[in-house]
Amino acid sequence: MSNTTKKSWRTSLYKIIYEAETSAGKLFDVVLMITIIASILLVMLESVKSIDSKFHNFLNISEWVITILFTIEYIARIITVKQPAKYIFSFYGIIDLLSTIPKYISLFFGGIHALAALRALRLLRIFRILKLARYLGASNNLVNALKASRAKISVFLFAVIIVSIILGTVMYLVEGEENGFTNIPKSVYWCIVTLTTVGFGDIAPQTPLGQFIASMVMILGYGIIAVPTGIVSAEYASQGTKQKPEPPKTNLNTQSCENCLATNHKDKADYCYNCGEKLYG
Amino acid sequence: MSNTTKKSWRTSLYKIIYEAETSAGKLFDVVLMITIIASILLVMLESVKSIDSKFHNFLNISEWVITILFTIEYIARIITVKQPAKYIFSFYGIIDLLSTIPKYISLFFGGIHALAALRALRLLRIFRILKLARYLGASNNLVNALKASRAKISVFLFAVIIVSIILGTVMYLVEGEENGFTNIPKSVYWCIVTLTTVGFGDIAPQTPLGQFIASMVMILGYGIIAVPTGIVSAEYASQGTKQKPEPPKTNLNTQSCENCLATNHKDKADYCYNCGEKLYG
Amino acid sequence: MSNTTKKSWRTSLYKIIYEAETSAGKLFDVVLMITIIASILLVMLESVKSIDSKFHNFLNISEWVITILFTIEYIARIITVKQPAKYIFSFYGIIDLLSTIPKYISLFFGGIHALAALRALRLLRIFRILKLARYLGASNNLVNALKASRAKISVFLFAVIIVSIILGTVMYLVEGEENGFTNIPKSVYWCIVTLTTVGFGDIAPQTPLGQFIASMVMILGYGIIAVPTGIVSAEYASQGTKQKPEPPKTNLNTQSCENCLATNHKDKADYCYNCGEKLYG
Amino acid sequence: MSNTTKKSWRTSLYKIIYEAETSAGKLFDVVLMITIIASILLVMLESVKSIDSKFHNFLNISEWVITILFTIEYIARIITVKQPAKYIFSFYGIIDLLSTIPKYISLFFGGIHALAALRALRLLRIFRILKLARYLGASNNLVNALKASRAKISVFLFAVIIVSIILGTVMYLVEGEENGFTNIPKSVYWCIVTLTTVGFGDIAPQTPLGQFIASMVMILGYGIIAVPTGIVSAEYASQGTKQKPEPPKTNLNTQSCENCLATNHKDKADYCYNCGEKLYG
């Protein structure tokens, strides 16, 4: 009996944390998102020296609060899943852990330099923002177009890198060390900066021949930017025409299996398609 | 009788100021546009020290002339509308007021520093140029395509910001304060500068690893610029094909209701669709 | 009789200079193009001090040779046309004159400074290269697409300028003179540099708020570059579909009327469609 | 008999080196690709002074190993082809030779400066990476679209260069030598940097008029980037629609004729379509 109660308690907590079907589950997600954004802002503000020196205590306490919240969330996620290992070794499980532990480590290695090194580790928590990606996945047309054009754009970007290596080497020979092209990797870096039309200007050709080659590189870059754009445009347009006769949509529920964490269940499924576990609607 | 005369006088003034059906109304709009452009040029020239010191009196008098013209227009707009509050608290009503009062405030708080602070306020008048937007709205196809792709482009730009935060944090760790990446917000700023292919070069990576990551960022930015372009291209192309079977156009008249300022009436409407006020053709 | 001989001589010279139907006419055009490119290279090389000091005499003699060739061409063009005024006051007639006379003026005002000012005038000759445009007009599809999208792109670029003025003013208030935003026109210039993703970096925001606004400007610029691209893509694609049912091409002959210089005659026309003059096939 | 053995030995070696039908042939290609990438990394690392001074011996030995591998490959390619001249004077034959001999030349001209000059020659080996292009040619649609739009993009880029020459000359006159526009070629270089939205910032306009013209150049460049993009998008989209009714694909075998090195044979061809030589499946 007490086992049943515990199970139903664990199941309803599971539904709050892992799903967003109930209003409590939706609230949890919103609160989590705000906490993540707050934690990123804290890390950002802490890296600004003038702010850190003024509000050090406030920032420190706020971080402890957020660290404890993330710890509670981490533990809750583990105890509500039937197979905790599935969560712990999942992508988000690892990110959750990595973004929580640095603050605890700072307790044991608390020197000044150690804290600085720790701060570096803590920045990994920023990856937690990737959770926001969960809220993005609306535009399937776009995603399909990007998937369809991924291979072609990769070939294109690979060609850009090869051209940059060749032209970077030529520029190293033409301009030489005295004009900032101190070695081939740096020249290749310059060539990528130029070909992508970024143009920092920290290195710039000084010789007439170098400036002539640079002009060719820029006109090339200006011309070939049309290639990825053309690919995505055409793929996206063809996705639009393809999609019309396809009525079925992706399943809109946020149910996930309590046992194996599988998602994307059919809309009114009663059992997990992956492990056969009962799903609680 | 005198009431009727006054009303007809007010109505015809209303038609001149708020509509562009009559030749007087068109002339009013052209004169207003020229005055607005002149006022912006004045504010610009005044901010250039060498010009301000030479032509201070001329600029000051010109500004008073324009301020008085704007004041007359503001009062005329209020007295010709039946419900003045509708105008006063509309977007353009607030901009009209904000762009007119600073010069008057300068009479009362006429010290040197106050004038400088005032000049800042006066710059808000530049928003008045937004009235020009009224003259733009021709290309409905384009506007529809932009509306249709707004959500997708927002998702895309949001993803760009998240990527910038993550990569900016990485660059802060890799490059550090000694190479200009003094804190995370600044590193994120650098990452946006690079990803959007702007590339100021005020901050530029110095370490080989930093330059390697920067190269990846640039190639990423060069590749993903294809995404918004592809979206708009495809939407715009599909607008073109959609539009053909749609003959009805937007109503081309510039009539607006004297009572509630509603616009976009049917082409030969006699009464306002919003409040039932008689419309004067 | 002598009149007839003279006329036929003038007519055949006319056909060589103004048309490219005969082999002599084609040769003339090629020689002229080479001469124009040579004259531009001369002007360029002369502006490089180190080259000018070494090869001053050679450059000077070469320029005289080219100037005399252009003079002969100019006179030949005038005497072969029946209505010289038509040529003299045409766009190319004015450019031909402006690109030839500076060298003669240098004979009369031969001082050092006068020569420098003269050199400036001579650079106008570079516009002669526009004649090359005559050799471009092949891709009608593209030209039509650009014409169709001209109005929309103008509206777009106008909006870009307005946004630049507003944001430039905001940046002037935020950053101020101490950070390089010395006046509003300069801030607007900076804003255009940033919005178009050029990013010189000669002026760059220094304050956190300024860098935040700059980031927004850059992301805006990165997003809205999709607009003109989308317009041209869609127009060009629709030109392609439209064009298929249109078989008639532009007239491919280079005939021009000896009397009024009208071009674009029907392919086997015997008389000028504009003035009725006999055309010599 | 021994001739037959030799021939079959040579034929099987030919199949390994020139084709990728057998597993040995695929392995050879992968090993070659790794060797080429390693050789490029070596040249890059050697150009970095700090690395070269530490690991000079290791780099030198590694280069000799790779040089000998390339020599063996070069000789093997010559002796397995029936008409060695076909290979030697082919594009890749020349690149193979040029990328191998510099190291041998360094034995005979072994002085310090000679070595530096040699290093320059050796960089040509980087072109060997072009062999990677053999592994790219998958996306025929894209290649066709690029071929179809090549002429139009060339016309466009040519127009960009002409506009840059004209505007560059104007900027030289407006800004002059004191603001970095020291001569016309440099001003044209600046104009290309600006028009292509690269914007190094090593040269930037200082006068108000110069900044105004620069703004126009930037807006022009921001607007016309739509042209090549539009061309490629439309061509690529039309390739997609054209392709549908075309079922036949390119021949997927990697067979090449042992006698004349012709490729692209029909999938089950027994004889070379070019010289009639027997093909060994």
Side-chain angles (χ1 to χ4, degrees):
Chain A
M1 192 78 171
S2 112
N3 198 356
T4 313
T5 316
K6 195 189 151 197
K7 194 184 173 177
S8 76
W9 163 83
R10 207 176 72 177
T11 296
S12 56
L13 191 60
Y14 176 89
K15 295 181 77 57
I16 289 169
I17 296 175
Y18 284 98
E19 301 182 357
E21 304 287 278
T22 60
S23 58
K26 275 169 195 155
L27 183 70
F28 176 84
D29 279 1
V30 170
V31 169
L32 182 60
M33 213 172 85
I34 291 166
T35 316
I36 291 167
I37 290 170
S39 80
I40 288 158
L41 286 177
L42 275 177
V43 171
M44 280 189 167
L45 292 175
E46 212 179 355
S47 78
V48 183
K49 273 195 178 161
S50 60
I51 292 172
D52 187 45
S53 58
K54 270 190 207 159
F55 305 102
H56 185 74
N57 279 339
F58 171 75
L59 291 173
N60 193 32
I61 291 163
S62 305
E63 283 203 45
W64 271 114
V65 170
I66 282 172
T67 300
I68 288 159
L69 287 175
F70 280 160
T71 310
I72 293 166
E73 187 221 351
Y74 187 68
I75 292 164
R77 279 186 189 273
I78 288 172
I79 59 173
T80 55
V81 179
K82 284 201 178 150
Q83 296 183 30
K86 284 265 175 187
Y87 166 68
I88 293 169
F89 298 107
S90 71
F91 180 68
Y92 284 117
I94 292 163
I95 286 174
D96 286 351
L97 184 67
L98 285 174
S99 64
T100 311
I101 49 169
K103 197 71 189 169
Y104 293 108
I105 294 172
S106 77
L107 283 178
F108 303 100
F109 308 92
I112 294 157
H113 289 289
L115 269 168
L118 186 97
R119 201 171 286 162
L121 263 175
R122 284 196 64 201
L123 289 166
L124 288 163
R125 183 185 289 174
I126 217 165
F127 286 103
R128 205 178 248 262
I129 206 169
L130 279 171
K131 276 188 182 163
L132 289 171
R134 289 182 190 170
Y135 300 90
L136 291 179
S139 52
N140 275 306
N141 250 11
L142 180 56
V143 170
N144 289 340
L146 289 180
K147 268 185 194 156
S149 51
R150 197 174 41 185
K152 281 157 200 164
I153 287 182
S154 300
V155 169
F156 168 74
L157 293 182
F158 189 61
V160 164
I161 291 170
I162 289 178
V163 168
S164 296
I165 290 172
I166 293 170
L167 290 175
T169 306
V170 170
M171 285 303 281
Y172 169 71
L173 294 177
V174 167
E175 288 284 324
E177 291 178 39
E178 65 275 17
N179 293 324
F181 295 76
T182 43
N183 52 54
I184 296 177
K186 205 165 193 176
S187 296
V188 172
Y189 160 73
W190 173 87
C191 203
I192 292 172
V193 168
T194 305
L195 203 62
T196 56
T197 77
V198 171
F200 283 132
D202 53 340
I203 315 163
Q206 303 299 327
T207 63
L209 181 58
Q211 292 180 340
F212 179 77
I213 296 169
S215 299
M216 294 300 105
V217 172
M218 283 176 261
I219 287 173
L220 184 70
Y222 192 62
I224 62 177
I225 202 169
V227 176
T229 306
I231 295 168
V232 174
S233 295
E235 290 293 341
Y236 189 59
S238 78
Q239 289 293 330
T241 51
K242 253 189 253 164
Q243 194 115 349
K244 274 166 201 162
E246 291 177 27
K249 282 241 192 164
T250 55
N251 298 314
L252 291 169
N253 69 79
T254 62
Q255 281 192 307
S256 67
C257 173
E258 206 179 338
N259 184 47
C260 71
L261 286 176
T263 52
N264 247 333
H265 298 284
K266 276 194 74 169
D267 263 343
K268 286 180 182 173
D270 285 326
Y271 294 93
C272 173
Y273 66 85
N274 189 35
C275 68
E277 179 80 10
K278 179 107 183 69
L279 296 173
Y280 298 87
Chain B
M1 192 78 170
S2 114
N3 198 354
T4 314
T5 315
K6 195 188 154 197
K7 194 183 173 179
S8 77
W9 163 82
R10 208 175 74 175
T11 298
S12 55
L13 192 59
Y14 176 88
K15 295 180 76 59
I16 289 169
I17 295 175
Y18 283 98
E19 301 182 358
E21 304 286 279
T22 60
S23 57
K26 276 169 195 156
L27 183 69
F28 176 83
D29 279 2
V30 170
V31 169
L32 181 61
M33 212 174 85
I34 291 167
T35 315
I36 290 167
I37 291 170
S39 79
I40 288 157
L41 286 177
L42 276 178
V43 171
M44 281 190 167
L45 292 175
E46 212 179 355
S47 78
V48 183
K49 273 193 178 163
S50 59
I51 292 171
D52 188 45
S53 58
K54 270 191 208 157
F55 305 102
H56 185 74
N57 279 339
F58 171 75
L59 292 173
N60 193 33
I61 291 164
S62 306
E63 283 202 46
W64 271 115
V65 170
I66 282 172
T67 301
I68 287 160
L69 287 175
F70 281 160
T71 311
I72 293 167
E73 186 220 350
Y74 188 67
I75 293 164
R77 279 186 190 274
I78 288 173
I79 59 172
T80 55
V81 178
K82 284 198 178 153
Q83 296 183 29
K86 283 265 177 188
Y87 166 68
I88 291 169
F89 297 107
S90 71
F91 180 68
Y92 285 118
I94 291 162
I95 286 174
D96 286 351
L97 183 67
L98 284 174
S99 62
T100 311
I101 49 168
K103 197 70 190 170
Y104 294 109
I105 294 172
S106 77
L107 283 178
F108 302 100
F109 306 91
I112 294 156
H113 288 290
L115 268 168
L118 185 97
R119 201 172 285 162
L121 263 176
R122 284 198 63 202
L123 289 166
L124 288 164
R125 182 185 291 172
I126 217 164
F127 286 102
R128 202 180 251 261
I129 205 169
L130 278 170
K131 277 191 181 158
L132 289 172
R134 290 182 190 169
Y135 300 90
L136 292 180
S139 53
N140 275 306
N141 250 10
L142 180 56
V143 171
N144 288 340
L146 289 179
K147 268 185 194 156
S149 51
R150 198 173 40 185
K152 282 157 200 163
I153 287 182
S154 300
V155 169
F156 167 75
L157 293 182
F158 188 62
V160 164
I161 291 169
I162 289 179
V163 168
S164 295
I165 290 172
I166 293 170
L167 290 175
T169 307
V170 170
M171 285 303 282
Y172 170 71
L173 294 177
V174 167
E175 288 283 325
E177 292 179 38
E178 64 275 16
N179 293 324
F181 295 77
T182 45
N183 52 55
I184 296 177
K186 203 165 194 176
S187 296
V188 172
Y189 160 73
W190 172 86
C191 204
I192 292 172
V193 168
T194 305
L195 203 63
T196 56
T197 77
V198 172
F200 283 132
D202 54 341
I203 315 162
Q206 303 299 326
T207 64
L209 181 58
Q211 293 180 339
F212 179 77
I213 296 169
S215 300
M216 294 299 104
V217 172
M218 284 178 261
I219 287 172
L220 185 71
Y222 193 61
I224 62 178
I225 202 169
V227 176
T229 306
I231 295 167
V232 174
S233 295
E235 290 294 342
Y236 189 59
S238 78
Q239 288 294 330
T241 50
K242 254 189 251 164
Q243 194 115 349
K244 273 167 201 159
E246 290 177 27
K249 282 242 192 162
T250 56
N251 298 314
L252 292 169
N253 69 79
T254 62
Q255 281 191 309
S256 67
C257 173
E258 207 177 338
N259 185 46
C260 70
L261 285 177
T263 53
N264 246 334
H265 299 283
K266 275 194 74 169
D267 263 343
K268 285 182 183 174
D270 285 326
Y271 295 94
C272 174
Y273 66 87
N274 189 34
C275 68
E277 178 80 10
K278 179 108 185 69
L279 296 174
Y280 299 88
Chain C
M1 192 78 172
S2 114
N3 197 356
T4 313
T5 315
K6 194 188 156 198
K7 190 180 175 180
S8 76
W9 164 82
R10 208 174 74 175
T11 297
S12 56
L13 191 60
Y14 177 87
K15 294 181 77 56
I16 289 169
I17 295 175
Y18 283 97
E19 301 182 357
E21 303 287 277
T22 60
S23 57
K26 275 168 195 157
L27 184 68
F28 176 83
D29 279 2
V30 170
V31 169
L32 181 61
M33 212 173 84
I34 292 167
T35 315
I36 290 166
I37 291 171
S39 80
I40 289 157
L41 286 177
L42 275 178
V43 171
M44 281 190 166
L45 292 176
E46 213 178 355
S47 78
V48 183
K49 271 193 180 161
S50 59
I51 292 172
D52 187 45
S53 57
K54 270 192 208 156
F55 305 103
H56 185 74
N57 279 339
F58 171 74
L59 291 174
N60 193 33
I61 291 164
S62 306
E63 283 203 46
W64 270 115
V65 170
I66 282 172
T67 301
I68 288 161
L69 286 176
F70 281 160
T71 311
I72 293 168
E73 187 220 349
Y74 187 67
I75 293 165
R77 279 186 190 273
I78 289 174
I79 57 172
T80 55
V81 179
K82 284 199 181 155
Q83 296 183 31
K86 283 267 177 187
Y87 165 67
I88 291 169
F89 297 107
S90 71
F91 180 67
Y92 284 118
I94 291 162
I95 285 174
D96 285 350
L97 184 68
L98 284 174
S99 62
T100 310
I101 48 168
K103 197 70 189 170
Y104 294 109
I105 294 171
S106 78
L107 283 178
F108 302 100
F109 307 91
I112 294 156
H113 288 289
L115 268 168
L118 186 96
R119 202 171 284 163
L121 262 175
R122 285 197 62 203
L123 289 166
L124 288 164
R125 182 184 291 173
I126 218 165
F127 285 102
R128 204 178 250 263
I129 206 170
L130 278 171
K131 277 190 181 159
L132 289 172
R134 291 182 189 169
Y135 300 90
L136 291 179
S139 52
N140 275 306
N141 250 11
L142 180 56
V143 171
N144 290 339
L146 290 179
K147 269 185 195 157
S149 51
R150 198 172 41 185
K152 282 157 199 163
I153 287 183
S154 299
V155 169
F156 168 74
L157 293 182
F158 189 62
V160 165
I161 291 170
I162 289 178
V163 168
S164 296
I165 290 173
I166 293 169
L167 290 175
T169 307
V170 171
M171 285 303 283
Y172 169 71
L173 294 177
V174 167
E175 288 282 325
E177 291 180 37
E178 64 275 18
N179 293 324
F181 295 76
T182 44
N183 51 55
I184 296 176
K186 204 165 193 175
S187 296
V188 171
Y189 160 73
W190 172 87
C191 204
I192 292 172
V193 168
T194 305
L195 203 63
T196 57
T197 77
V198 172
F200 282 133
D202 53 342
I203 314 163
Q206 303 299 325
T207 64
L209 181 57
Q211 292 180 340
F212 179 77
I213 297 169
S215 299
M216 293 300 106
V217 172
M218 283 177 261
I219 287 172
L220 183 70
Y222 193 61
I224 62 176
I225 200 169
V227 177
T229 306
I231 295 168
V232 173
S233 295
E235 290 293 341
Y236 189 60
S238 77
Q239 288 293 330
T241 50
K242 254 191 252 163
Q243 193 114 350
K244 274 167 201 160
E246 290 177 27
K249 282 243 192 159
T250 56
N251 298 313
L252 292 169
N253 70 77
T254 63
Q255 281 191 308
S256 67
C257 172
E258 206 176 339
N259 185 46
C260 71
L261 285 177
T263 52
N264 248 334
H265 298 284
K266 276 194 71 169
D267 263 342
K268 285 180 183 174
D270 285 326
Y271 295 92
C272 174
Y273 66 87
N274 188 34
C275 67
E277 179 79 11
K278 179 104 184 70
L279 296 173
Y280 297 89
Chain D
M1 193 77 172
S2 114
N3 197 355
T4 313
T5 316
K6 193 188 156 197
K7 191 182 176 179
S8 75
W9 164 81
R10 209 175 72 175
T11 297
S12 55
L13 191 60
Y14 176 88
K15 294 180 79 58
I16 291 169
I17 296 175
Y18 284 98
E19 301 183 357
E21 304 288 278
T22 60
S23 58
K26 275 167 196 158
L27 184 69
F28 176 84
D29 279 2
V30 170
V31 170
L32 182 61
M33 214 173 83
I34 292 167
T35 315
I36 290 166
I37 291 169
S39 80
I40 288 158
L41 287 177
L42 275 178
V43 170
M44 280 189 167
L45 292 175
E46 212 179 356
S47 78
V48 182
K49 272 194 179 161
S50 59
I51 292 172
D52 188 46
S53 58
K54 269 190 209 159
F55 305 103
H56 185 74
N57 279 337
F58 172 75
L59 291 174
N60 193 33
I61 291 164
S62 305
E63 283 203 45
W64 270 114
V65 169
I66 282 172
T67 301
I68 288 161
L69 286 176
F70 280 161
T71 311
I72 292 167
E73 186 220 350
Y74 187 67
I75 292 165
R77 279 186 190 273
I78 288 173
I79 59 173
T80 55
V81 179
K82 284 199 178 152
Q83 296 183 30
K86 284 265 178 188
Y87 165 67
I88 292 169
F89 297 107
S90 71
F91 180 67
Y92 284 117
I94 290 162
I95 286 174
D96 286 351
L97 184 67
L98 285 174
S99 62
T100 311
I101 49 167
K103 197 70 189 170
Y104 293 109
I105 294 171
S106 77
L107 284 177
F108 303 100
F109 307 91
I112 294 157
H113 289 290
L115 269 167
L118 186 96
R119 202 172 285 162
L121 263 175
R122 285 196 63 202
L123 288 166
L124 287 163
R125 182 185 290 174
I126 219 166
F127 285 103
R128 204 177 249 262
I129 207 171
L130 278 170
K131 276 187 180 161
L132 289 171
R134 290 181 189 170
Y135 300 90
L136 293 179
S139 53
N140 275 305
N141 251 11
L142 179 56
V143 170
N144 289 340
L146 289 179
K147 268 186 195 155
S149 51
R150 198 174 39 185
K152 282 157 199 161
I153 287 182
S154 299
V155 168
F156 168 74
L157 293 182
F158 189 62
V160 165
I161 291 170
I162 289 178
V163 168
S164 296
I165 290 173
I166 294 170
L167 291 175
T169 307
V170 171
M171 286 303 283
Y172 169 72
L173 294 178
V174 167
E175 287 284 325
E177 291 179 38
E178 64 275 18
N179 292 324
F181 294 77
T182 44
N183 52 54
I184 296 176
K186 204 164 193 175
S187 296
V188 172
Y189 160 74
W190 172 87
C191 203
I192 292 172
V193 168
T194 305
L195 203 63
T196 56
T197 77
V198 172
F200 282 132
D202 53 341
I203 315 163
Q206 303 299 327
T207 64
L209 180 58
Q211 292 179 341
F212 179 77
I213 296 169
S215 299
M216 294 300 105
V217 172
M218 283 177 262
I219 287 172
L220 184 69
Y222 193 62
I224 62 177
I225 202 169
V227 177
T229 307
I231 295 168
V232 173
S233 295
E235 290 293 341
Y236 189 59
S238 78
Q239 288 293 330
T241 50
K242 253 189 251 164
Q243 194 116 349
K244 273 167 202 160
E246 291 177 26
K249 283 243 192 159
T250 56
N251 298 313
L252 292 169
N253 69 79
T254 63
Q255 281 192 309
S256 66
C257 173
E258 204 178 342
N259 184 47
C260 70
L261 286 177
T263 53
N264 248 334
H265 298 284
K266 277 194 71 169
D267 263 341
K268 285 183 183 172
D270 285 327
Y271 295 94
C272 172
Y273 66 86
N274 188 34
C275 68
E277 178 80 10
K278 179 106 184 67
L279 296 174
Y280 298 89

